[in-house]
């Protein structure tokens, strides 16, 4: 049987979520899994909410398959409001603490944590929010190994920012302790 | 009627072709077109040949649609040998001058030019080969406007490298004159 996880990373443009998706997919490849990373640009990409998609699987991905996702990360209210209906019943919702808990009919596993504040205040750079988010997300859903994820992050971030991003990754793992 | 173009950018890992695909998709969005950018990671991603895919359309993209591409860019022999069978009859093949013209049964429009050498010798940085390639590719197939492509490039390249990348883009447009 194949274990396949569909993940959507959502937020506003400029939060580095495409890069986040690429890093997650490259980490999966290092773990000998298969992955497909994709991004749609169209009317829905306008207006401030953006999303990147990653499918990670133990076996061949019979892509394309348009379906609801297992995991949704939302760094902004707008992106959460927009994409929440794409999350499966009993799926995992990971939101920044600035996002109001949405009204919903379905059951979700909700994790709410200070992703943006950790990037800005603890690390001192808002641009590492995507890496804080990856650390948190993988701590919760464990789709790839920690080692591969760290390696994939360090392969992709701009030279000279490795230590900053390593700290962001570690902080992301630690902020997952509180669950709502 | 919808005008839809499927483009594959292939080469070796590290040549920046994923970023190339993202830039092309973002330029399409600026032109009020729709685009889907994707990348598969699996057994075929190992072994030195990598590819990024972009679909650009005047209307909604009924993705996913697995089909042969209209345009194939190959910066290396390995990637050309691997992905040529994915190119449509009468499709456009754009290859670096280091790539031997493949044996083939189908008719292709072949454009062969010094993409890698232009990046290394004229611009002085092998890392801009992806931008030289985008300039050349768009000069040949005209999928997005020049203005949008330049803007998308400058939005995405590392700060401080704008002039370098603008030169790479201009050089890419100029090397398309010779057609084999």
């Amino acid at each position: 049987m194949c274990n396949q996880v569909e993940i959507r990373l959502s937020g506003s443009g400029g939060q580095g979520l495409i890069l986040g998706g690429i890093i997650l997919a490259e980490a999966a490849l290092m773990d000998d899994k298969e992955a497909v990373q994709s991004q749609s640009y169209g009317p829905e990409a306008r207006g401030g909410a953006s999303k990147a998609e990653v499918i990670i699987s133990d076996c061949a991905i019979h892509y394309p398959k348009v379906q609801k996702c297992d995991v949704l990360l939302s760094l902004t209210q707008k992106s959460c409001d927009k994409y929440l209906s794409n999350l499966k019943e009993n799926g995992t919702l990971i939101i920044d603490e600035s996002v109001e808990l949405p009204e919903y009919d379905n059951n979700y596993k909700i994790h709410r944590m200070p992703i943006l504040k950790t990037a800005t205040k603890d690390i001192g750079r808002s641009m590492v929010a995507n890496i804080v988010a990856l650390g948190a997300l993988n701590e919760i859903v464990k789709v790839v190994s920690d080692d591969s994820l760290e390696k994939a992050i360090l392969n992709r971030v701009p030279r000279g920012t490795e230590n900053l991003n390593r700290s962001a990754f570690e902080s992301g793992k630690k902020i997952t302790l509180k669950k709502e």
Side-chain angles (χ1 to χ4, degrees), chain A:
Chain A
M1 216 194 87
C2 280
N3 193 6
Q4 181 161 317
V5 183
E6 300 210 20
I7 299 165
R8 305 221 170 124
L9 309 176
S10 72
S12 63
Q15 283 181 323
L17 297 171
I18 307 183
L19 180 62
I22 292 170
I23 287 172
L24 208 49
E26 291 183 346
L29 188 66
M30 289 179 198
D31 280 349
D32 285 326
K33 295 183 180 185
E34 306 217 357
V36 174
Q37 162 272 321
S38 68
Q39 170 109 1
S40 294
Y41 301 78
E44 73 153 37
R46 297 185 181 90
S50 101
K51 88 170 152 17
E53 306 184 32
V54 188
I55 305 174
I56 295 177
S57 179
D58 292 341
C59 357
I61 296 172
H62 297 295
Y63 197 73
K65 217 186 219 176
V66 177
Q67 57 183 35
K68 291 196 164 193
C69 62
D70 304 287
V71 181
L72 175 67
L73 166 83
S74 292
L75 296 184
T76 63
Q77 188 70 48
K78 203 175 239 179
S79 62
C80 184
D81 294 345
K82 190 161 185 175
Y83 300 118
L84 185 60
S85 61
N86 292 166
L87 184 60
K88 280 182 194 165
E89 173 94 24
N90 293 318
T92 300
L93 176 65
I94 302 169
I95 50 179
D96 186 66
E97 64 172 3
S98 62
V99 178
E100 292 294 311
L101 282 175
E103 286 182 26
Y104 50 89
D105 303 322
N106 282 340
N107 286 316
Y108 303 121
K109 297 171 209 123
I110 299 177
H111 301 255
R112 189 161 172 252
M113 62 200 66
I115 295 170
L116 300 180
K117 203 173 76 185
T118 299
T120 316
K121 298 257 168 78
D122 295 5
I123 313 293
R125 295 281 282 279
S126 64
M127 59 174 288
V128 300
N130 57 348
I131 305 300
V132 174
L134 284 183
L137 183 146
N138 196 51
E139 191 68 15
I140 294 165
V141 295
K142 297 281 183 200
V143 278
V144 292
S145 68
D146 255 19
D147 281 357
S148 295
L149 186 51
E150 182 172 334
K151 206 169 153 192
I153 290 168
L154 298 179
N155 278 349
R156 277 283 166 192
V157 298
R159 219 170 289 176
T161 67
E162 289 86 352
N163 286 339
L164 198 70
N165 280 288
R166 197 182 280 114
S167 301
F169 177 53
E170 292 302 325
S171 296
K173 292 196 272 183
K174 283 180 201 140
I175 58 172
T176 58
L177 302 173
K178 192 179 159 216
K179 184 178 171 179
E180 294 197 28

